[in-house]
Amino acid sequence: MKRSPFYVPPDPKYRNSFLDSCAFDTKYAPEDAYAAEIRELRNIGEIHLLLAHSNQKEIDHPKTPADVKAEAADMIYTNETDLTDGERVTRQKVHDILTGNGRPEKYEADARHVFEAGKYGGAYFITADRRILSHADELETVCGAIVVTPSRWLEIYRSARSEEPA
């Protein structure tokens, strides 16, 4: 997606921001540290941070560390709802983008996560998953989700704070 040189990303403080469960994972260093900083902003009430209902299965997985489970337990989750015909089409397009030539079942959960972020207000979807990030522009065009790394989200957030009147 070609952006105007005057484009300013929306202020994350006033948008829903969804956190992908992989952002908790230390194998994504240094992005995991930035994700921890974002979660701290949530803990002090500075921002709203959500998890898609589809993340619940990943959080509940037996190999998910106890500290991640504890932190995720008090986060806000979306509720699974029936989809309209248009929403089903959009979710399928997101799934097709993420699947590419891969096995469709492997990308179903990620497609649901990204779709949920777009469904709830063109929100930010914060992830360290390079495959999802590589399709950020196309995903935003299709479903409205603004896909960013934790470090990019913080950059946008800080920039918006620096522009606030004192």
Side-chain angles (χ1 to χ4, degrees):
M1 171 186 312
K2 184 153 170 70
R3 300 239 190 245
S4 159
F6 303 106
Y7 172 78
V8 176
D11 186 343
K13 186 172 181 172
Y14 303 108
R15 288 281 177 113
N16 289 330
S17 293
F18 284 75
L19 189 64
D20 193 4
S21 55
C22 74
F24 287 96
D25 195 335
T26 56
K27 76 179 178 186
Y28 290 101
E31 292 299 331
D32 64 319
Y34 296 120
E37 190 174 337
I38 293 168
R39 294 192 317 270
E40 182 55 29
L41 287 170
R42 174 210 161 261
N43 292 340
I44 63 172
E46 188 65 23
I47 62 164
H48 296 287
L49 193 60
L50 303 130
L51 290 170
H53 66 83
S54 52
N55 283 108
Q56 189 67 52
K57 289 178 186 171
E58 294 173 4
I59 298 296
D60 289 343
H61 191 277
K63 291 187 178 182
T64 300
D67 60 324
V68 171
K69 287 182 181 199
E71 187 172 354
D74 74 340
M75 293 180 82
I76 298 169
Y77 285 85
T78 62
N79 290 318
E80 186 168 13
T81 61
D82 290 334
L83 301 179
T84 66
D85 290 341
E87 288 172 332
R88 276 192 285 281
V89 168
T90 299
R91 187 177 68 191
Q92 185 60 51
K93 286 179 182 178
V94 169
H95 186 247
D96 292 346
I97 291 166
L98 293 176
T99 300
N101 294 326
R103 294 189 340 250
E105 65 278 4
K106 186 175 178 183
Y107 304 105
E108 182 64 34
D110 287 340
R112 288 179 181 270
H113 305 337
V114 174
F115 168 78
E116 286 286 309
K119 179 179 175 180
Y120 291 100
Y124 284 96
F125 184 73
I126 306 165
T127 186
D129 186 320
R130 294 194 192 291
R131 185 180 38 77
I132 297 172
L133 289 161
S134 71
H135 297 288
D137 290 344
E138 192 175 4
L139 291 166
E140 184 176 356
T141 299
V142 167
C143 74
I146 303 167
V147 179
V148 294
T149 60
S151 57
R152 176 67 179 135
W153 186 95
L154 280 169
E155 181 182 301
I156 295 166
Y157 177 82
R158 290 177 181 140
S159 176
R161 304 285 71 74
S162 70
E163 295 170 7
E164 286 183 346

